[in-house]
Amino acid sequence: MSLALALIVLFALTVITIHTISYAVWNWRNNKSGALQVFLICLVTIALPTYVYFFRT
Amino acid sequence: MSYIGSIFRRLLFFEEPKKQEQFTLKSPGQAQQGSENQSNNQPGKQSNNQSGNRPDGSLGLTNAKAVTKPNKMPAEAKPISISKPQKEQKQSPKVSKQPDEISDDINVNLEYMKNRFSIPLNCDIILREFSINYKNKLIPAFIMFFDGMTDRAIINGFILKPLMVNSIMDVKESEYNLQDFILKQLLPHNQITLESTYSKAIDKINFGSCALFADGLCVSFTADVKGWEHRGVEKPNNEIVIRGPQEGFNELLRTNTAQIRKRVKDENLIVDDIAVGKVSKTPCSMLYIKNVANESLVGEVRRRLESLNVDYMLDSGILEQLIEDSTIYPSPQMISTERPDYVSEMLVLGKVVIIVSGSPNVLVVPVTAYELMHSAEDIYVRYPYANLLRAVRYFALFLALLLPGIYIAIVNYHHEMIPTDLLIAIEAAREKVPFPSIIELLLMEISFELIREAGVRVPGPIGPTLGIIGALILGQASVAANIVSPILIIIVAVAGIGSFALPNYSLAYSIRILRFGFIILGSIAGFLGITLGLFMIGVWSTSVKSFGVPFVAPYGPRTSTKSKNTFFRAPEWKLEFRPDYLDTKKKTRQDKYSMGWKPGNGNNRG
């Protein structure tokens, strides 16, 4: 996959992650464990593709 | 710029939802608290205070829109019936002060009706003038009806003949005035109504009634003499089952309601008529079981139907598009069926049914994603068979939605996913194909859609020819010409067969659309793209509601799983509960020990 495509995919994932994190922040008051899980999912959503695209050899 | 900024802001940051933006189905207890002004027999009947229909009385964004519409409607609907005669009044000076009220002067009425029905320009309206003998006086009168929409034999035998012939017979003098004389003595028809306004009389004539006007009376007698040609009760064309009733709906409203009523023999089954369309006034029937269905659901369906500001509404397909929750979500949010037995089953569960006059497709609301995968036959066969069929359907859904996308992902990015021999076979077949695999796949998919569309439109006798052309040209010739590889034909054919195995026609459409999306995602980002697509559809599906019911209930949100008829179905004796997400008045549909004959169950205990 070309670098440009990887960047586009990562950009889309970043937008989704920011949106989801803001949801988790909103949800923190009512459901702390749920919010934590959402944080974790967000982390994985960004970290895994980044690793696959740029660090995996 | 600020608008674009707000779009980006909404895209990036989650906003706290405004309270009760969407209609949310509440349990009957909660609904009653907020809707004190609803009548018991007709829950949610249109009231001026629309918040009465809302279980919580709140006015969110969606509510605010919805509230203004129904309030507008009576105000707008009224002038339609009144303002037109006002215009006519200017043309015909004979009509006196209140233009919509029927005059006692027969000549005024005659002139007015001629104007409204454009006589003699309009050729299928029949106007028959005659005299009624009343107390040895000849009273001028006339009847009007549409030729072809009415039963001439009934008009001749039970309206004209009594009025013209029987009125001469001697009756006790002064026992009845003229109106009662006609109503009680002369017209033996079983459905006569008195209308005091032109607009109501005209509506009745437009819907197959015969209107009688007599001199000296400020009313019109309208007799229901509908008699148009129609289809009989036939086999449902698009929902064929091997086991189960073979009757389908037809285009007649009352035949359809009767077909349901003969199955659900319950006086609590309410058939509530609502006219939709300011001009067409298409009769629609809303059916529900009074002591089962959730009142707020019934009220919501009624609110949506009554708030429609359209001129013409001619079919349930149009109505579906006008009352569905999300117009952009690809999957249908209500079931459209032509099987009365299936509709009856849905009514018993606590759903609401909408029948549109002139349409053989009946709408059932609300619906969940899993119910779209159910077939009418599922309840007629033993549960292991039904579950096997459902498993096959889910597999078909997977194939129809994802197979081409997965193929393109594997061929382009994930060679390691498939056995080496198969990979070599695929690559060998593709060796001579000059196109990239995505072009090859799109070419085949589009050709397949083309054949499918042509197959629907092609006249019957040429149908087999189209099949031969499709099989030969697409199958053999394109492979021989090295335009596509043989394995791709198998992929496209299997995906096509999968979409045909889906029980819901509209769902199959949405899967066809999404399939193209997955092909593109698979070609851009491989399995990651497909996963991303599935994730997005999953997120989208959880935010969609069908008449207040989450689309993926009872799993998202997780509710009670007492109703054991979602992915798969339990044996018939175990289906004790109605779906929890419907919040029905009666939670159970049968006793725990439904098979009383079994030792240890019910009456035979011990």
Side-chain angles (χ1 to χ4, degrees), chain B residues 447-497:
Chain B
S447 308
F448 184 72
E449 294 296 327
L450 207 64
I451 287 186
R452 179 144 54 177
E453 185 60 18
V456 177
R457 311 272 165 254
V458 75
I462 321 172
T465 320
L466 188 81
I468 293 164
I469 290 171
L472 281 179
I473 291 181
L474 283 181
Q476 215 169 351
S478 54
V479 172
N482 288 328
I483 293 172
V484 292
S485 59
I487 192 155
L488 193 73
I489 290 186
I490 298 170
I491 297 285
V492 172
V494 170
I497 290 168

Side-chain angles (χ1 to χ4, degrees), chain B residues 175 205 281 541-542:
Chain B
E175 189 175 339
I205 294 172
K281 294 189 179 68
S541 301
T542 50

Side-chain angles (χ1 to χ4, degrees), chain B residues 178-356:
Chain B
L178 178 59
Q179 182 176 321
D180 287 346
F181 177 59
I182 293 173
L183 191 64
K184 295 180 179 174
Q185 204 79 37
L186 290 181
L187 291 177
H189 195 269
N190 61 9
Q191 280 190 41
I192 301 279
T193 49
L194 292 178
E195 304 296 352
S196 57
T197 57
Y198 287 118
S199 54
K200 283 184 180 172
I202 288 168
D203 284 348
K204 289 279 176 73
I205 294 172
N206 283 334
F207 197 44
S209 287
C210 173
L212 164 70
F213 292 83
D215 196 23
L217 295 181
C218 301
V219 291
S220 160
F221 303 85
T222 56
D224 189 356
V225 288
K226 293 183 190 77
W228 53 70
E229 292 298 321
H230 59 85
R231 209 159 53 98
V233 175
E234 295 169 2
K235 268 189 173 185
N237 293 324
N238 303 320
E239 291 171 76
I240 297 163
V241 296
I242 294 174
R243 185 160 184 184
Q246 303 291 335
E247 285 180 332
F249 287 119
N250 65 8
E251 285 76 9
L252 280 186
L253 182 67
R254 278 292 161 259
T255 310
N256 294 345
T257 54
Q259 286 209 67
I260 295 170
R261 197 172 276 284
K262 82 176 180 189
R263 287 178 171 82
V264 187
K265 299 175 190 70
D266 185 355
E267 69 279 8
N268 289 309
L269 172 64
I270 305 295
V271 178
D272 191 358
D273 286 355
I274 297 168
V276 178
K278 286 188 287 189
V279 179
S280 66
K281 294 189 179 68
T282 309
C284 300
S285 283
M286 186 176 77
L287 285 81
Y288 57 93
I289 299 179
K290 194 173 66 178
N291 56 352
V292 173
N294 187 308
E295 281 183 11
S296 66
L297 171 65
V298 175
E300 177 64 13
V301 177
R302 186 198 307 281
R303 188 179 71 86
R304 291 192 191 186
L305 289 175
E306 288 181 339
S307 65
L308 293 177
N309 285 317
V310 291
D311 282 353
Y312 296 92
M313 200 284 295
L314 303 175
D315 190 82
S316 61
I318 300 170
L319 185 68
E320 181 181 351
Q321 296 170 62
L322 289 169
I323 61 172
E324 66 187 355
D325 287 65
S326 171
T327 51
I328 194 169
Y329 186 68
S331 172
Q333 291 137 58
M334 54 194 86
I335 292 174
S336 169
T337 178
E338 49 183 349
R339 297 191 62 85
D341 53 310
Y342 188 57
V343 166
S344 307
E345 170 74 12
M346 294 290 113
L347 276 170
V348 170
L349 287 180
K351 301 197 175 192
V352 178
V353 167
I354 306 162
I355 308 177
V356 178

Side-chain angles (χ1 to χ4, degrees), chain A residues 1 5 9 12-16 18-20 22-23 26 29 41 49 53, chain B residues 9-17 413 523-526 528 532 535-536:
Chain A
M1 190 182 293
L5 202 59
V9 171
L13 284 174
T14 311
V15 169
I16 292 168
I18 293 171
H19 189 93
T20 315
S22 67
Y23 167 73
W26 173 77
R29 286 170 295 170
I41 289 171
Y53 281 140
Chain B
R9 207 165 40 248
R10 286 186 65 182
L11 202 67
L12 265 180
F13 300 109
F14 173 79
E15 285 179 6
E16 188 171 348
Y413 300 107
S523 71
I524 290 175
L528 184 66
L532 195 70
F535 178 72
M536 285 165 73

